[in-house]
Amino acid sequence: MNILYKSTRNNDEKITASQAIIKGIAKDGGLYVPTDFPKIDKSIDELCNMNYQELALYIMKKFFDDYTEEELEECVYSAYDQKFEDENIVPIKKENGAYFMELCHGPTLAFKDVALSILPHLLKVACKKNNLNKEVVILTATSGDTGKAALEGFANVKGTKIVVFYPEGGVSEIQKAQMVTQQGENTFVVGIKGNFDDAQTGVKEILNDSEFNKKLNDNGFVFSSANSINVGRLIPQVVYYVYSYLKLIKNNEIKKGEYINVVVPTGNFGNILAANYAEKMGIPINKFICASNPNNVLADFMSTGIYNTKRKFLKTISPSMDILVSSNLERLLYEISGRSEDIVKELMNKLKNNGEYEINSDMKKYMEKFYGNYASDEETVESIKKVYKESKYLIDTHTAVGICVYEKYKRETGDNTKTIIASTASPFKFVRSVANGIGLEEENSNDFKLVKEVSKVTGIKIPIGIKELDSRKVLHKNKCNTSGMKNIIEKFLKIGE
Ligand SMILES: *Cc1c(COP(=O)(O)O)cnc(C)c1O
């Protein structure tokens, strides 16, 4: 079976995986999806004996089938090495009656490392395969975590430049420090006067601006994206759901073929969509539990079938999920509409013009596999406190949103299916609220001091990624309005003068 990629919004063009990775987003504004879902075709016993890298290779070869085995091997082993502080890459811990899939042991302490440490390698190979002799400019909007993970992944990668836009005042002190101290001649970090949605919309518009793209092309550049709209980010995330499922079998926690639930703290819908793709490959998943913070557009969508962005954008203590327009939901809409480009196009037009849409009854039927709810900031801190008190297990604010919603789900349904919770960031990354949760005095203390205090009190060692972060030099001081994004890109690339 050959897997190609096509837009969610039309049927004309089918391209290879490497081409889709270069392009990032389709010309019509749609997202690339695989023409087919490959199935897991090895025995469970065989798969259980694979380590993370071997399994990653097996799964990615199925989705990225125009890459050779050797090319993918090079990508996988360059990405998943000692920069992850755990040799399992994604360890799974049984705590508090659930299984925590710890996605936060990469260099920037958030789950995005898992995909963004491999994307630059996939892209480099893709350029070579397609004889692209232009420099690739990665444009990224970030709510805090993608930006740093992308910078870390792309810094000093030959033939690439990376531009990151983050919302000024919309990220944590630690997140900001991580980004503005980024080294690497090819890196460029800009604070946007606006929120994440403003940054993301701005980036998407630039990626689709044909005139601007032509100008760049004439100057030897081509745009790509490191946001989860890129299939080169989405597919590597499928791996850890399969890996964790196999780990549970191997550890005799579940039987072969047993159904599990997954709980995913959700923002742009990339991570939970990857779980959905894992199911399409053959992993038995009972419920996809989608956890939101008070920006609860998705929670409402799951219960009503109406996606309505006409509401206030709220700043919360789980900032990586402060999003109203979840890009990757478009890929799910495509699947649940029976792969209908027309329906997706219509819904996306409604979203653009009216700020809302409603799915039809057939689509709602499919959504029964999903459960959505949300946690307030108070509930989030309460969850951190409760889990720490009961199990001495320290979780970050995003993971805490997940647990809180999981508890609500259990209360409502009584379902006791074994459940994997995606642990998406290290508690040290969002240390202020975490310190609050475990009863540490937080006034008069900056985040860097708090990191040391939390480490002292809990006995958990400070991850390498943020050690001595406060003494690093600030290298990026650029700021702009959303209307000035193109301008500042030109400045960085030294074109159009
Ligand atoms: C990005 C992020 C999320 C949201 O993931 P999506 O794939 O955008 O839904 C959740 N938690 C953390 C810590 C993140 O960085």
Side-chain angles (χ1 to χ4, degrees):
M1 182 173 49
N2 263 330
I3 306 278
L4 293 168
Y5 288 81
K6 62 173 296 294
S7 167
T8 45
R9 297 189 199 177
N10 84 67
N11 227 339
D12 304 340
E13 181 199 40
K14 292 193 175 60
I15 60 176
T16 61
S18 63
Q19 289 166 338
I21 287 171
I22 294 171
K23 292 194 174 179
I25 187 167
K27 261 211 195 78
D28 58 8
L31 306 188
Y32 287 116
V33 286
T35 47
D36 228 319
F37 284 96
K39 297 280 177 296
I40 289 171
D41 56 2
K42 278 190 195 297
S43 76
I44 291 285
D45 291 332
E46 208 173 337
L47 292 168
C48 278
N49 284 325
M50 291 184 176
N51 63 21
Y52 194 87
Q53 291 84 347
E54 288 163 341
L55 189 72
L57 190 58
Y58 170 70
I59 288 173
M60 284 192 230
K61 180 72 187 114
K62 291 199 166 301
F63 279 100
F64 301 152
D65 65 3
D66 68 319
Y67 285 72
T68 66
E69 188 89 20
E70 293 69 39
E71 285 169 340
L72 278 179
E73 218 169 71
E74 166 82 27
C75 293
V76 164
Y77 287 94
S78 309
Y80 304 131
D81 59 11
Q82 304 85 320
K83 61 179 160 298
F84 284 80
E85 277 196 80
D86 191 296
E87 62 174 3
N88 287 302
I89 310 297
V90 177
I92 189 152
K93 303 244 169 85
K94 187 178 183 177
E95 301 281 355
N96 224 53
Y99 302 95
F100 287 81
M101 175 170 73
E102 295 188 345
L103 300 168
C104 49
H105 294 289
T108 78
L109 319 185
F111 89 90
K112 294 182 175 77
D113 284 324
V114 183
L116 280 163
S117 55
I118 194 164
L119 179 65
H121 301 285
L122 292 170
L123 190 66
K124 214 164 67 180
V125 174
C127 290
K128 210 165 82 199
K129 292 180 89 64
N130 292 281
N131 297 316
L132 191 83
N133 40 26
K134 291 193 166 31
E135 200 161 3
V136 184
V137 181
I138 307 297
L139 274 197
T140 301
T142 184
S143 53
D145 289 337
T146 295
K148 178 60 186 180
L151 287 163
E152 197 64 29
F154 280 97
N156 299 317
V157 172
K158 278 216 178 71
T160 71
K161 287 196 182 332
I162 170 151
V163 185
V164 169
F165 293 101
Y166 71 92
E168 267 256 292
V171 299
S172 82
E173 203 175 335
I174 302 249
Q175 287 178 311
K176 185 170 172 183
Q178 281 184 314
M179 288 189 279
V180 297
T181 59
Q182 179 66 47
Q183 298 187 332
E185 290 254 321
N186 64 335
T187 66
F188 193 59
V189 180
V190 187
I192 286 275
K193 297 196 180 75
N195 60 39
F196 171 71
D197 282 327
D198 298 325
Q200 170 153 273
T201 305
V203 162
K204 273 193 182 170
E205 276 173 13
I206 293 173
L207 289 173
N208 281 317
D209 182 332
S210 48
E211 210 174 298
F212 194 56
N213 274 278
K214 178 160 187 314
K215 190 170 182 182
L216 246 82
N217 265 270
D218 293 344
N219 283 280
F221 298 108
V222 56
F223 277 138
S224 187
S225 165
N227 280 103
S228 53
I229 50 181
N230 194 318
V231 291
R233 257 197 68 188
L234 185 58
I235 302 304
Q237 296 180 178
V238 176
V239 177
Y240 47 70
Y241 288 101
V242 179
Y243 182 71
S244 301
Y245 183 78
L246 295 168
K247 261 277 150 84
L248 293 188
I249 292 177
K250 199 172 174 179
N251 297 348
N252 289 318
E253 299 289 343
I254 58 170
K255 294 196 242 351
K256 287 179 198 168
E258 187 170 337
Y259 277 77
I260 55 161
N261 295 331
V262 293
V263 178
V264 188
T266 296
N268 224 0
F269 213 76
N271 204 4
I272 195 166
L273 185 77
N276 188 251
Y277 277 25
E279 188 210 20
K280 290 185 184 301
M281 291 191 82
I283 298 299
I285 295 179
N286 171 53
K287 274 278 180 200
F288 300 94
I289 298 169
C290 174
S292 303
N293 70 24
N295 292 295
N296 56 356
V297 190
L298 283 167
D300 287 350
F301 173 69
M302 305 276 165
S303 53
T304 63
I306 299 171
Y307 195 87
N308 182 351
T309 59
K310 290 181 287 185
R311 60 182 83 198
K312 207 167 169 296
F313 182 99
L314 303 168
K315 283 216 289 193
T316 73
I317 57 170
S318 46
S320 303
M321 291 153 58
D322 288 349
I323 298 174
L324 293 180
V325 183
S326 293
S327 291
N328 274 294
L329 189 60
E330 179 166 345
R331 287 186 166 112
L332 185 73
L333 296 175
Y334 184 68
E335 299 305 328
I336 67 176
S337 66
R339 307 207 117 202
S340 163
E341 294 81 16
D342 291 337
I343 291 179
V344 171
K345 215 162 32 188
E346 185 193 326
L347 295 176
M348 289 302 114
N349 276 334
K350 283 186 181 159
L351 183 67
K352 188 166 180 203
N353 299 326
N354 316 329
E356 69 174 316
Y357 61 77
E358 178 168 9
I359 57 175
N360 64 37
S361 52
D362 286 345
M363 292 166 82
K364 282 181 190 166
K365 186 116 197 66
Y366 189 98
M367 288 306 292
E368 286 167 9
K369 291 250 358 162
F370 284 78
Y371 169 89
N373 210 328
Y374 76 101
S376 69
D377 279 356
E378 294 74 42
E379 288 173 322
T380 303
V381 173
E382 199 49 44
S383 284
I384 294 172
K385 186 176 180 173
K386 185 164 165 278
V387 172
Y388 186 70
K389 201 166 141 206
E390 285 170 10
S391 343
K392 286 276 168 280
Y393 185 59
L394 195 63
I395 52 172
D396 93 295
T397 49
H398 303 76
T399 310
V401 167
I403 298 194
C404 182
V405 167
Y406 177 49
E407 298 289 337
K408 288 181 185 183
Y409 170 76
K410 276 196 296 189
R411 275 200 300 275
E412 274 174 39
T413 62
D415 179 15
N416 57 8
T417 304
K418 304 256 170 67
T419 297
I420 288 177
I421 298 177
S423 173
T424 53
S426 154
F428 288 102
K429 199 160 188 183
F430 302 93
V431 71
R432 187 156 295 265
S433 308
V434 171
N436 187 2
I438 60 171
L440 286 179
E441 196 59 58
E442 60 165 85
E443 278 161 54
N444 308 324
S445 193
N446 70 27
D447 284 9
F448 303 105
K449 278 194 203 138
L450 276 177
V451 163
K452 294 190 183 110
E453 256 173 85
V454 167
S455 172
K456 207 166 93 193
V457 170
T458 61
I460 303 170
K461 79 175 201 283
I462 302 173
I464 294 167
I466 54 169
K467 254 193 186 156
E468 283 136 37
L469 187 60
D470 49 341
S471 57
R472 284 184 216 157
K473 192 165 172 227
V474 173
L475 300 168
H476 303 271
K477 292 178 182 162
N478 287 292
K479 292 187 178 48
C480 77
N481 292 316
T482 43
S483 59
M485 288 164 75
K486 272 202 257 185
N487 227 314
I488 207 155
I489 293 169
E490 290 183 342
K491 215 173 87 189
F492 173 53
L493 300 176
K494 302 190 175 69
I495 57 175
E497 274 146 12

